[in-house]
Amino acid sequence: MIPPSSLAQPVMFTQTRALLPGIMLCGVIAIAATFVSEHYGGPQFLYALLMGIAFHFLADSEKCQPGIELSAKKLVRFGVALLGARIVASDVSDLGLAGVGALIGAVALTIGFGILMARLLGLPSMLGLLSGGGTGICGISATLAISSTLPATRENERYTLLTAIGIAIFSTLAMVLYPLIVKHAGLSTAEAGLFLGGSIHDVAQVVGAGLIISPEVGDAATLAKMFRVAMLMPVVVILALTFHAERKKTATAGSKTPILPMFLVVFAGLAALNSLGLLSHQVVEASSTVSRWCLVTSIAALGVKTSLEKLAELGWKPIVLMSSEAIFIAGYMLLVVYLGRVFGA
């Protein structure tokens, strides 16, 4: 009689072999996007998206499809889980009560504005939720995290990719334009940091915009931005609980759908450990690097799965939606800065 363990090894080998072509395809796209971004500038995620779309013809390939699906759905959760290592609770005290309140308001109001604006434009509320969450919290990382709590449907995948493309574009525009607003408005270092960190979508663009002005503004902007990243946890927990029943309906037969996905538990655990000072700098850096690679590979997979024709069917309204969300959060943060001047004087 053949031992069960000897049967398990060929099965695992066969499954791994089936996944490799798709995973390697998405990995190569992620490496190429990273190379172009590091050597020629520009947003890494946007390059991964566009390069992935160029390989859409492989989306239905029997060899590549399993690995592409795994990269699009599983890697994103692993990447988001590791983001928890970047959260430090002590950063909250450095912002002050007014700053914390303003940033919480920015996240909540932008998500609400996105849902409302989507309805006014006749777009699905899910698109408003994804784009509002991505704009209000931490860009593409938040979009992917929110998407993982929603029912796994083709429509939600399209909305996720569309949001990721829009956020990559508007975040890059903000990095270039918002420092000009800071100089024109004569904002102080603290005000500039709060405005940039509270209104620009992605962490990398926040750092870039701050450093355009000065290293001090860069540090202040990064602090404000990291608090917005920390808001990802409560928002995603709320959404996971809200959409739990709907996720169960779209789950594959026989699979269990936990109330809180495991990646959220890991995210919270890493955030707690880092806040207690139990994670070394090397561990935090390694977690951030692995997280970014997972997210870039996942967004490349989403690009491969997406047809430009289907995106074009959505028309001009999503552009209006995401541009209005970017204007809303920037206007809100400028209002916060000016109110701080009035009441702080």
Side-chain angles (χ1 to χ4, degrees):
M1 185 175 178
I2 301 173
S5 58
S6 62
L7 289 173
Q9 289 180 356
V11 172
M12 288 181 62
F13 177 77
T14 303
Q15 291 176 343
T16 304
R17 188 175 179 181
L19 293 171
L20 271 179
I23 294 175
M24 289 178 68
L25 169 66
C26 299
V28 168
I29 293 172
I31 292 170
T34 303
F35 177 86
V36 174
S37 176
E38 290 179 351
H39 289 79
Y40 300 98
Q44 182 186 26
F45 282 119
L46 182 58
Y47 290 146
L49 275 171
L50 297 178
M51 290 179 184
I53 290 172
F55 287 88
H56 175 65
F57 65 92
L58 291 173
D60 296 323
S61 166
E62 291 184 4
K63 288 186 177 181
C64 295
Q65 193 175 40
I68 293 171
E69 289 292 330
L70 179 103
S71 298
K73 295 179 180 178
K74 302 293 184 183
L75 275 185
V76 60
R77 298 184 179 190
F78 189 70
V80 171
L82 292 179
L83 280 177
R86 299 170 64 180
I87 307 303
V88 183
S90 60
D91 289 344
V92 176
S93 60
D94 295 334
L95 288 168
L97 287 177
V100 168
L103 293 171
I104 291 175
V107 171
L109 291 174
T110 304
I111 293 174
F113 177 82
I115 295 172
L116 176 62
M117 195 67 185
R119 290 178 179 174
L120 291 175
L121 290 169
L123 293 169
S125 297
M126 290 293 187
L127 180 57
L129 174 62
L130 282 165
S131 58
T135 301
I137 304 174
C138 56
I140 293 176
S141 300
T143 300
L144 295 175
I146 291 171
S147 176
S148 65
T149 68
L150 304 180
T153 63
R154 288 280 184 181
E155 289 76 17
N156 286 341
E157 282 187 359
R158 285 169 59 201
Y159 303 150
T160 300
L161 185 80
L162 184 67
T163 300
I165 292 172
I167 282 178
I169 294 170
F170 285 112
S171 186
T172 302
L173 287 174
M175 180 181 69
V176 175
L177 296 177
Y178 288 9
L180 299 177
I181 295 176
V182 168
K183 291 183 178 180
H184 180 74
L187 303 185
S188 67
T189 297
E191 291 171 341
L194 186 62
F195 168 64
L196 295 176
S199 59
I200 298 178
H201 310 57
D202 275 315
V203 175
Q205 276 77 4
V206 168
V207 175
L211 292 179
I212 286 174
I213 301 171
S214 72
E216 292 75 21
V217 171
D219 291 342
T222 302
L223 176 62
K225 182 61 183 177
M226 291 315 295
F227 179 78
R228 283 170 68 197
V229 174
M231 287 292 294
L232 180 64
M233 179 62 188
V235 169
V236 175
V237 167
I238 291 170
L239 294 177
L241 295 173
T242 302
F243 292 105
H244 175 64
E246 292 184 45
R247 288 203 322 277
K248 285 182 71 175
K249 294 177 184 177
T250 58
T252 55
S255 63
K256 293 183 179 180
T257 306
I259 296 176
L260 280 182
M262 182 54 66
F263 77 91
L264 285 184
V265 177
V266 176
F267 181 100
L270 288 174
L273 289 174
N274 197 31
S275 298
L276 293 171
L278 298 177
L279 296 182
S280 66
H281 177 72
Q282 291 81 1
V283 171
V284 173
E285 287 296 313
S287 297
S288 296
T289 301
V290 174
S291 171
R292 192 157 190 86
W293 274 109
C294 288
L295 294 178
V296 173
T297 304
S298 181
I299 205 71
L302 278 176
V304 174
K305 291 181 65 176
T306 300
S307 166
L308 284 176
E309 292 179 5
K310 292 180 179 179
L311 282 181
E313 290 173 4
L314 293 170
W316 54 269
K317 291 182 179 180
I319 298 174
V320 174
L321 171 65
M322 283 181 271
S323 60
S324 65
E325 289 165 347
I327 293 170
F328 174 83
I329 193 169
Y332 169 85
M333 291 310 302
L334 276 177
L335 178 63
V336 165
V337 167
Y338 281 113
L339 287 177
R341 281 185 179 182
V342 172
F343 292 103

